[in-house]
Amino acid sequence: MSSARTETIVLGGGCFWCTEAVFDRVRGVLDVESGYSNGETVRPTYEQVCTGRTGHAEVVKVEFDPAQITLREILEIFFVVHDPTTLNRQGNDVGTQYRSAIYTFNDAQRQAAEASRSVYQKALAAKGLAAITTEIAPAGPFYFAEDYHQQYLAKNPAGYCGLGGTGVSCPIGAGVSA
């Protein structure tokens, strides 16, 4: 899912509202859309996803201009803004839909994601933190979340956001290309 000037990756860092709000402010990111991915139900609703029975993660589809921001930089932001060591949880949001995930569209993205995870795991381990639980898999169908979820925190500035990183910077620039 990319053209000569753009690239797309799908990221799950807990509640899509929070992750969307972060990437909306990143230079070089052209579009961010909240949705559901990598589950079994066709066109799931928010209520269905919240049951945990659809298999979907709350995600954001991030379209970016690699001439302005690299995939490595996108992944660095992703790992730092949420806690990838918590399984199916970010803040008060608990359930499989809140899992940490990177869904890729090609082998180069998969390799970059795996390399980034590996480098960040070393940084976390050096601080005595737990293992990364981030799922890395090919992107499945992406289903847009309901309109009221799109740009939710922009429309509701006092809305809840459960994102909280580990406090460990992400040195993935060392040896990671993309």
Side-chain angles (χ1 to χ4, degrees), residues 82-126:
H82 80 296
D83 183 351
T85 69
T86 56
L87 183 62
N88 302 325
R89 177 184 197 130
Q90 291 297 311
N92 292 329
D93 295 324
V94 179
T96 57
Q97 72 271 28
Y98 301 116
R99 65 188 176 267
S100 176
I102 302 170
Y103 299 132
T104 63
F105 289 98
N106 57 52
D107 198 47
Q109 285 186 345
R110 181 191 55 77
Q111 290 174 7
E114 289 173 352
S116 297
R117 179 179 60 190
S118 178
V119 170
Y120 195 46
Q121 181 59 64
K122 289 176 186 167
L124 292 173

Short mmCIF file of all heavy atoms in Angstrom, two decimals, residues 82-126:
data_model
loop_
_atom_site.label_atom_id
_atom_site.label_comp_id
_atom_site.label_asym_id
_atom_site.label_seq_id
_atom_site.Cartn_x
_atom_site.Cartn_y
_atom_site.Cartn_z
N HIS A 82 3.97 4.48 23.49
CA HIS A 82 3.14 3.54 24.24
C HIS A 82 4.05 2.55 24.98
O HIS A 82 5.27 2.62 24.85
CB HIS A 82 2.15 2.82 23.32
CG HIS A 82 2.71 1.68 22.53
ND1 HIS A 82 3.70 1.82 21.57
CD2 HIS A 82 2.40 0.36 22.55
CE1 HIS A 82 3.98 0.64 21.04
NE2 HIS A 82 3.21 -0.26 21.62
N ASP A 83 3.47 1.68 25.77
CA ASP A 83 4.26 0.69 26.49
C ASP A 83 4.13 -0.65 25.78
O ASP A 83 3.13 -1.35 25.95
CB ASP A 83 3.79 0.58 27.94
CG ASP A 83 4.64 -0.39 28.75
OD1 ASP A 83 5.49 -1.10 28.16
OD2 ASP A 83 4.46 -0.44 29.98
N PRO A 84 5.12 -1.01 24.96
CA PRO A 84 5.02 -2.25 24.20
C PRO A 84 5.28 -3.50 25.04
O PRO A 84 5.22 -4.62 24.52
CB PRO A 84 6.09 -2.07 23.12
CG PRO A 84 7.14 -1.25 23.78
CD PRO A 84 6.36 -0.29 24.66
N THR A 85 5.53 -3.33 26.33
CA THR A 85 5.79 -4.49 27.19
C THR A 85 4.53 -5.02 27.87
O THR A 85 4.57 -6.05 28.53
CB THR A 85 6.83 -4.16 28.28
OG1 THR A 85 6.26 -3.24 29.22
CG2 THR A 85 8.10 -3.57 27.67
N THR A 86 3.43 -4.30 27.73
CA THR A 86 2.19 -4.75 28.37
C THR A 86 1.35 -5.51 27.35
O THR A 86 1.12 -5.03 26.25
CB THR A 86 1.39 -3.57 28.93
OG1 THR A 86 1.12 -2.64 27.88
CG2 THR A 86 2.14 -2.87 30.04
N LEU A 87 0.93 -6.67 27.70
CA LEU A 87 0.14 -7.51 26.81
C LEU A 87 -1.33 -7.11 26.88
O LEU A 87 -1.93 -7.14 27.97
CB LEU A 87 0.30 -8.99 27.17
CG LEU A 87 -0.42 -9.99 26.28
CD1 LEU A 87 0.12 -9.91 24.85
CD2 LEU A 87 -0.26 -11.40 26.83
N ASN A 88 -1.87 -6.70 25.75
CA ASN A 88 -3.30 -6.38 25.64
C ASN A 88 -3.75 -5.31 26.63
O ASN A 88 -4.84 -5.38 27.19
CB ASN A 88 -4.15 -7.65 25.84
CG ASN A 88 -3.79 -8.72 24.84
OD1 ASN A 88 -3.45 -8.44 23.69
ND2 ASN A 88 -3.85 -9.97 25.26
N ARG A 89 -2.90 -4.29 26.79
CA ARG A 89 -3.25 -3.22 27.73
C ARG A 89 -2.43 -1.98 27.46
O ARG A 89 -1.24 -2.04 27.19
CB ARG A 89 -2.97 -3.68 29.16
CG ARG A 89 -3.23 -2.61 30.16
CD ARG A 89 -2.86 -3.03 31.57
NE ARG A 89 -3.53 -2.11 32.45
CZ ARG A 89 -4.26 -2.45 33.47
NH1 ARG A 89 -4.40 -3.70 33.80
NH2 ARG A 89 -4.86 -1.54 34.20
N GLN A 90 -3.09 -0.82 27.58
CA GLN A 90 -2.43 0.48 27.64
C GLN A 90 -3.25 1.31 28.62
O GLN A 90 -4.44 1.52 28.42
CB GLN A 90 -2.40 1.17 26.27
CG GLN A 90 -1.49 0.52 25.25
CD GLN A 90 -0.03 0.52 25.65
OE1 GLN A 90 0.54 1.54 26.03
NE2 GLN A 90 0.60 -0.64 25.55
N GLY A 91 -2.62 1.73 29.70
CA GLY A 91 -3.35 2.50 30.72
C GLY A 91 -4.51 1.69 31.26
O GLY A 91 -4.36 0.51 31.60
N ASN A 92 -5.68 2.33 31.32
CA ASN A 92 -6.88 1.65 31.82
C ASN A 92 -7.58 0.82 30.75
O ASN A 92 -8.58 0.16 31.04
CB ASN A 92 -7.87 2.68 32.38
CG ASN A 92 -7.35 3.34 33.63
OD1 ASN A 92 -6.62 2.75 34.41
ND2 ASN A 92 -7.72 4.60 33.83
N ASP A 93 -7.08 0.86 29.51
CA ASP A 93 -7.68 0.11 28.42
C ASP A 93 -7.13 -1.31 28.43
O ASP A 93 -5.92 -1.52 28.25
CB ASP A 93 -7.38 0.77 27.07
CG ASP A 93 -8.01 2.14 26.95
OD1 ASP A 93 -9.13 2.33 27.46
OD2 ASP A 93 -7.39 3.02 26.34
N VAL A 94 -8.02 -2.29 28.64
CA VAL A 94 -7.60 -3.68 28.74
C VAL A 94 -8.42 -4.53 27.79
O VAL A 94 -9.64 -4.39 27.70
CB VAL A 94 -7.79 -4.21 30.19
CG1 VAL A 94 -7.38 -5.66 30.30
CG2 VAL A 94 -7.01 -3.35 31.18
N GLY A 95 -7.76 -5.41 27.06
CA GLY A 95 -8.42 -6.33 26.14
C GLY A 95 -7.55 -6.55 24.92
O GLY A 95 -6.64 -5.77 24.63
N THR A 96 -7.82 -7.62 24.20
CA THR A 96 -6.98 -7.95 23.03
C THR A 96 -7.01 -6.87 21.97
O THR A 96 -6.05 -6.73 21.21
CB THR A 96 -7.42 -9.29 22.41
OG1 THR A 96 -8.81 -9.20 22.05
CG2 THR A 96 -7.20 -10.45 23.37
N GLN A 97 -8.08 -6.07 21.93
CA GLN A 97 -8.14 -5.00 20.92
C GLN A 97 -7.13 -3.89 21.20
O GLN A 97 -6.84 -3.08 20.33
CB GLN A 97 -9.55 -4.41 20.81
CG GLN A 97 -10.01 -3.56 21.96
CD GLN A 97 -10.70 -4.33 23.07
OE1 GLN A 97 -10.45 -5.50 23.30
NE2 GLN A 97 -11.59 -3.66 23.79
N TYR A 98 -6.55 -3.86 22.40
CA TYR A 98 -5.57 -2.83 22.77
C TYR A 98 -4.13 -3.33 22.67
O TYR A 98 -3.22 -2.72 23.22
CB TYR A 98 -5.86 -2.31 24.18
CG TYR A 98 -7.24 -1.71 24.30
CD1 TYR A 98 -8.19 -2.27 25.13
CD2 TYR A 98 -7.58 -0.59 23.55
CE1 TYR A 98 -9.46 -1.71 25.23
CE2 TYR A 98 -8.85 -0.04 23.65
CZ TYR A 98 -9.79 -0.61 24.48
OH TYR A 98 -11.04 -0.06 24.57
N ARG A 99 -3.93 -4.44 21.97
CA ARG A 99 -2.58 -5.00 21.86
C ARG A 99 -1.66 -4.07 21.08
O ARG A 99 -2.09 -3.30 20.24
CB ARG A 99 -2.61 -6.39 21.23
CG ARG A 99 -3.07 -6.43 19.78
CD ARG A 99 -3.24 -7.89 19.34
NE ARG A 99 -3.75 -8.06 18.00
CZ ARG A 99 -5.04 -8.21 17.69
NH1 ARG A 99 -5.97 -8.17 18.63
NH2 ARG A 99 -5.39 -8.40 16.43
N SER A 100 -0.38 -4.22 21.35
CA SER A 100 0.65 -3.51 20.61
C SER A 100 0.90 -4.30 19.33
O SER A 100 1.14 -5.51 19.38
CB SER A 100 1.93 -3.43 21.45
OG SER A 100 2.98 -2.84 20.73
N ALA A 101 0.83 -3.60 18.18
CA ALA A 101 0.95 -4.32 16.91
C ALA A 101 1.52 -3.42 15.81
O ALA A 101 1.27 -2.22 15.79
CB ALA A 101 -0.42 -4.84 16.48
N ILE A 102 2.26 -4.06 14.92
CA ILE A 102 2.74 -3.42 13.70
C ILE A 102 2.32 -4.33 12.56
O ILE A 102 2.76 -5.48 12.50
CB ILE A 102 4.27 -3.24 13.69
CG1 ILE A 102 4.74 -2.42 14.89
CG2 ILE A 102 4.72 -2.61 12.37
CD1 ILE A 102 6.25 -2.41 15.08
N TYR A 103 1.46 -3.81 11.70
CA TYR A 103 0.99 -4.59 10.55
C TYR A 103 1.60 -4.01 9.28
O TYR A 103 1.43 -2.83 8.98
CB TYR A 103 -0.54 -4.60 10.50
CG TYR A 103 -1.15 -5.23 11.74
CD1 TYR A 103 -2.17 -4.62 12.43
CD2 TYR A 103 -0.68 -6.44 12.23
CE1 TYR A 103 -2.73 -5.19 13.56
CE2 TYR A 103 -1.22 -7.03 13.37
CZ TYR A 103 -2.24 -6.40 14.02
OH TYR A 103 -2.79 -6.98 15.15
N THR A 104 2.32 -4.85 8.58
CA THR A 104 3.16 -4.41 7.46
C THR A 104 2.56 -4.80 6.11
O THR A 104 1.77 -5.73 6.01
CB THR A 104 4.55 -5.03 7.60
OG1 THR A 104 4.45 -6.46 7.52
CG2 THR A 104 5.20 -4.64 8.92
N PHE A 105 3.01 -4.08 5.08
CA PHE A 105 2.54 -4.31 3.72
C PHE A 105 3.58 -4.95 2.80
O PHE A 105 3.27 -5.27 1.66
CB PHE A 105 2.04 -3.00 3.09
CG PHE A 105 0.76 -2.54 3.71
CD1 PHE A 105 0.77 -1.58 4.71
CD2 PHE A 105 -0.45 -3.07 3.32
CE1 PHE A 105 -0.41 -1.15 5.30
CE2 PHE A 105 -1.64 -2.66 3.90
CZ PHE A 105 -1.61 -1.69 4.90
N ASN A 106 4.81 -5.09 3.31
CA ASN A 106 5.84 -5.72 2.48
C ASN A 106 6.97 -6.22 3.37
O ASN A 106 7.01 -5.95 4.58
CB ASN A 106 6.36 -4.76 1.40
CG ASN A 106 6.90 -3.47 1.98
OD1 ASN A 106 7.75 -3.47 2.88
ND2 ASN A 106 6.39 -2.34 1.48
N ASP A 107 7.88 -6.97 2.76
CA ASP A 107 8.97 -7.58 3.51
C ASP A 107 9.91 -6.54 4.10
O ASP A 107 10.43 -6.72 5.20
CB ASP A 107 9.73 -8.56 2.61
CG ASP A 107 10.58 -9.52 3.42
OD1 ASP A 107 10.06 -10.09 4.41
OD2 ASP A 107 11.77 -9.66 3.10
N ALA A 108 10.16 -5.45 3.38
CA ALA A 108 11.04 -4.40 3.90
C ALA A 108 10.46 -3.80 5.19
O ALA A 108 11.21 -3.56 6.15
CB ALA A 108 11.27 -3.32 2.85
N GLN A 109 9.16 -3.57 5.22
CA GLN A 109 8.53 -3.04 6.44
C GLN A 109 8.64 -4.06 7.57
O GLN A 109 8.92 -3.69 8.71
CB GLN A 109 7.06 -2.71 6.19
CG GLN A 109 6.84 -1.44 5.41
CD GLN A 109 5.36 -1.07 5.33
OE1 GLN A 109 4.47 -1.88 5.61
NE2 GLN A 109 5.10 0.16 4.94
N ARG A 110 8.40 -5.33 7.26
CA ARG A 110 8.50 -6.37 8.30
C ARG A 110 9.90 -6.41 8.88
O ARG A 110 10.08 -6.44 10.09
CB ARG A 110 8.12 -7.74 7.74
CG ARG A 110 8.20 -8.86 8.79
CD ARG A 110 8.09 -10.25 8.18
NE ARG A 110 9.06 -10.51 7.15
CZ ARG A 110 10.37 -10.80 7.36
NH1 ARG A 110 10.84 -10.86 8.59
NH2 ARG A 110 11.17 -11.03 6.34
N GLN A 111 10.90 -6.38 8.02
CA GLN A 111 12.29 -6.42 8.49
C GLN A 111 12.62 -5.20 9.34
O GLN A 111 13.28 -5.32 10.39
CB GLN A 111 13.24 -6.53 7.30
CG GLN A 111 13.20 -7.87 6.62
CD GLN A 111 14.05 -7.92 5.35
OE1 GLN A 111 14.78 -6.97 5.03
NE2 GLN A 111 13.95 -9.02 4.62
N ALA A 112 12.17 -4.04 8.92
CA ALA A 112 12.41 -2.81 9.69
C ALA A 112 11.72 -2.89 11.05
O ALA A 112 12.28 -2.50 12.08
CB ALA A 112 11.95 -1.59 8.92
N ALA A 113 10.49 -3.41 11.08
CA ALA A 113 9.75 -3.55 12.34
C ALA A 113 10.45 -4.52 13.28
O ALA A 113 10.60 -4.24 14.48
CB ALA A 113 8.32 -4.00 12.06
N GLU A 114 10.89 -5.64 12.75
CA GLU A 114 11.57 -6.64 13.58
C GLU A 114 12.90 -6.09 14.10
O GLU A 114 13.25 -6.30 15.27
CB GLU A 114 11.78 -7.93 12.80
CG GLU A 114 10.48 -8.68 12.59
CD GLU A 114 10.61 -9.89 11.67
OE1 GLU A 114 11.69 -10.09 11.05
OE2 GLU A 114 9.61 -10.64 11.56
N ALA A 115 13.64 -5.39 13.26
CA ALA A 115 14.92 -4.82 13.68
C ALA A 115 14.69 -3.75 14.75
O ALA A 115 15.41 -3.69 15.75
CB ALA A 115 15.66 -4.24 12.49
N SER A 116 13.68 -2.92 14.56
CA SER A 116 13.35 -1.87 15.53
C SER A 116 12.96 -2.48 16.87
O SER A 116 13.41 -2.02 17.93
CB SER A 116 12.21 -1.01 15.00
OG SER A 116 12.59 -0.35 13.83
N ARG A 117 12.14 -3.50 16.82
CA ARG A 117 11.72 -4.17 18.05
C ARG A 117 12.94 -4.74 18.79
O ARG A 117 13.07 -4.60 20.00
CB ARG A 117 10.71 -5.28 17.74
CG ARG A 117 10.24 -6.04 18.97
CD ARG A 117 9.22 -7.10 18.65
NE ARG A 117 9.77 -8.09 17.73
CZ ARG A 117 9.06 -9.03 17.13
NH1 ARG A 117 7.75 -9.12 17.36
NH2 ARG A 117 9.62 -9.89 16.32
N SER A 118 13.83 -5.35 18.05
CA SER A 118 15.03 -5.94 18.64
C SER A 118 15.92 -4.89 19.31
O SER A 118 16.38 -5.08 20.44
CB SER A 118 15.80 -6.70 17.55
OG SER A 118 16.98 -7.23 18.08
N VAL A 119 16.16 -3.79 18.62
CA VAL A 119 17.01 -2.73 19.18
C VAL A 119 16.34 -2.10 20.41
O VAL A 119 17.00 -1.86 21.43
CB VAL A 119 17.33 -1.67 18.10
CG1 VAL A 119 18.00 -0.44 18.71
CG2 VAL A 119 18.20 -2.28 17.03
N TYR A 120 15.03 -1.86 20.32
CA TYR A 120 14.34 -1.25 21.46
C TYR A 120 14.29 -2.22 22.64
O TYR A 120 14.40 -1.81 23.79
CB TYR A 120 12.94 -0.78 21.07
CG TYR A 120 12.32 0.16 22.08
CD1 TYR A 120 13.03 1.22 22.62
CD2 TYR A 120 11.01 -0.01 22.49
CE1 TYR A 120 12.47 2.08 23.55
CE2 TYR A 120 10.43 0.85 23.42
CZ TYR A 120 11.17 1.89 23.94
OH TYR A 120 10.61 2.74 24.87
N GLN A 121 14.18 -3.52 22.36
CA GLN A 121 14.17 -4.50 23.44
C GLN A 121 15.47 -4.43 24.23
O GLN A 121 15.47 -4.52 25.46
CB GLN A 121 13.97 -5.91 22.90
CG GLN A 121 13.94 -6.99 23.98
CD GLN A 121 12.83 -6.75 24.99
OE1 GLN A 121 11.66 -6.78 24.66
NE2 GLN A 121 13.20 -6.49 26.25
N LYS A 122 16.59 -4.25 23.54
CA LYS A 122 17.88 -4.12 24.24
C LYS A 122 17.89 -2.90 25.15
O LYS A 122 18.40 -2.96 26.27
CB LYS A 122 19.02 -4.06 23.23
CG LYS A 122 19.26 -5.39 22.53
CD LYS A 122 20.32 -5.27 21.47
CE LYS A 122 20.41 -6.57 20.69
NZ LYS A 122 21.19 -6.44 19.46
N ALA A 123 17.34 -1.79 24.67
CA ALA A 123 17.28 -0.57 25.48
C ALA A 123 16.39 -0.79 26.71
O ALA A 123 16.72 -0.35 27.81
CB ALA A 123 16.77 0.61 24.65
N LEU A 124 15.27 -1.47 26.54
CA LEU A 124 14.37 -1.75 27.66
C LEU A 124 15.03 -2.69 28.66
O LEU A 124 14.94 -2.47 29.88
CB LEU A 124 13.05 -2.36 27.15
CG LEU A 124 12.15 -1.43 26.34
CD1 LEU A 124 10.98 -2.22 25.77
CD2 LEU A 124 11.66 -0.27 27.17
N ALA A 125 15.68 -3.73 28.15
CA ALA A 125 16.35 -4.70 29.03
C ALA A 125 17.44 -4.03 29.85
O ALA A 125 17.62 -4.34 31.03
CB ALA A 125 16.91 -5.85 28.20
N ALA A 126 18.15 -3.08 29.24
CA ALA A 126 19.20 -2.36 29.96
C ALA A 126 18.64 -1.57 31.14
O ALA A 126 19.36 -1.29 32.10
CB ALA A 126 19.95 -1.43 29.00
#
